[in-house]
Amino acid sequence: MKYYYQLQYKRVHRAFKDFGTEPVIGYPIVFFLFCWMSLSFFDRVLYANYIYIFIATIFSYSLTNANHVEFLKQHFLAAEYRKIMILNNLIKVIPFALLLVVKGFFIEAFALCVIGVLISFLKKGKRQTIIIPTPFGKEPTEFIIGFRKTFWVFPLVYCLAGIAIYKENYNLGIFALILILLVCSGYYTKPDPAYYVWIYDKNPKEFLKHKVMVALKNSLLLVLPILIVLVVFYAKETHFTLLFLLIGWLYLIMYVFMKYAFEYYGLGIFQGIVGALCLLFPPIMIITIPYFYKEALRNLNQSLQ
């Protein structure tokens, strides 16, 4: 069990080095960003303590990999396996719980730790037996795979948009719109195998243009119900609605470029940091989008020769 956590520690170190940052620098940056985003979240969001627990729960559960669970079952006795599962989930939620304690939400912090323990007893299957139909046809796989993993999110977000209309809360409706685009951006967090790229008979610029157009078209399909509702019920704010839609699309385009700008599998950590910074200060995308586009072209020149 001790060796297992030593190995996980080394894997995190390797992820920082793959990202191009020394761990001694990376850890403080991650700590600072987490505290900054969390404190900003509490300052700006109503009922932030409850939403924060929900976010932490989703974070903990989503990081539970079914294949990794099977690996643990094969290499550890039942008692050690259960201890590792509980400890792993507590490690995931403890940063969130400590932030709740700092903000004075002691009961919520305790409840989150209990939820973390309970999650360790849930069985997360590989979900390969049920094929969920998608509206995306034979387009590139990002939206097909992503939609099947996150299909349950969309009814919840659409309900959130309905609540925004019922409560006459325009900001909540905008939050629902942006949330859809953030989910879509998450579909581009893993690099493709090489043969998923070179099968296209396109040069790098044409390839990226194709990927961006598909991302915009498919995301519009998902965000359209919320967009229509906001335009109909908040006609005077239509220009703000379209502005936020544009910002969300720029964010999505940035993720498309990031996917092909880097080829290593530590990509998710880097995307999370950049994505968080751009959410807090969107003008940064004026710099990040051209940079990632240039890097993507450079990498694709090798794959599409």
Side-chain angles (χ1 to χ4, degrees), residues 34-50:
F34 175 78
C35 293
W36 181 29
M37 289 187 294
S38 297
L39 294 174
S40 298
F41 179 80
F42 275 93
D43 291 339
R44 299 177 183 180
V45 178
L46 191 64
Y47 303 117
N49 52 327
Y50 301 114

Side-chain angles (χ1 to χ4, degrees), residues 97-289:
L98 291 176
L99 225 298
L100 286 168
V101 170
V102 169
K103 298 297 293 185
F105 298 108
F106 301 103
I107 296 176
E108 288 85 346
F110 176 75
L112 180 57
C113 290
V114 173
I115 291 173
V117 173
L118 294 176
I119 289 175
S120 66
F121 291 91
L122 296 178
K123 293 183 179 180
K124 188 174 183 181
K126 297 181 181 180
R127 296 180 294 180
Q128 296 178 346
T129 55
I130 300 176
I131 299 178
I132 299 170
T134 73
F136 306 117
K138 297 180 179 180
E139 298 289 357
T141 58
E142 290 91 355
F143 270 81
I144 297 174
I145 296 174
F147 180 81
R148 286 173 175 165
K149 289 182 177 180
T150 61
F151 70 94
W152 55 273
V153 172
F154 298 102
L156 296 178
V157 178
Y158 294 148
C159 287
L160 195 63
I163 294 173
I165 301 304
Y166 179 74
K167 294 292 186 178
E168 297 183 355
N169 189 331
Y170 175 72
N171 292 333
L172 186 61
I174 288 296
F175 174 74
L177 184 147
I178 293 296
L179 188 57
I180 291 287
L181 295 173
L182 291 180
V183 171
C184 294
S185 299
Y187 299 164
Y188 292 87
T189 55
K190 292 184 179 179
D192 286 334
Y195 57 84
Y196 277 21
V197 177
W198 59 253
I199 58 175
Y200 286 88
D201 184 21
K202 300 178 183 294
N203 62 45
K205 289 184 178 181
E206 292 174 342
F207 176 82
L208 288 177
K209 180 180 178 181
H210 172 70
K211 284 286 186 175
V212 167
M213 294 307 296
V214 169
L216 295 180
K217 182 184 71 173
N218 289 345
S219 62
L220 177 61
L221 185 63
L222 293 173
V223 84
L224 192 60
I226 297 176
L227 186 62
I228 293 174
V229 165
L230 290 177
V231 170
V232 170
F233 287 91
Y234 297 99
K236 293 183 179 179
E237 288 83 8
T238 298
H239 55 296
F240 287 113
T241 302
L242 296 179
L243 176 61
F244 279 104
L245 176 64
L246 176 61
I247 294 173
W249 269 345
L250 289 174
Y251 193 83
L252 176 59
I253 291 171
M254 182 182 70
Y255 265 74
V256 174
F257 292 161
M258 267 200 287
K259 176 173 181 175
Y260 298 100
F262 302 93
E263 298 176 340
Y264 57 85
Y265 277 81
L267 183 60
I269 297 175
F270 178 67
Q271 287 180 320
I273 294 173
V274 175
L277 289 174
C278 291
L279 277 178
L280 294 171
F281 190 65
I284 295 177
M285 288 189 287
I286 297 174
I287 300 173
T288 58
I289 290 177

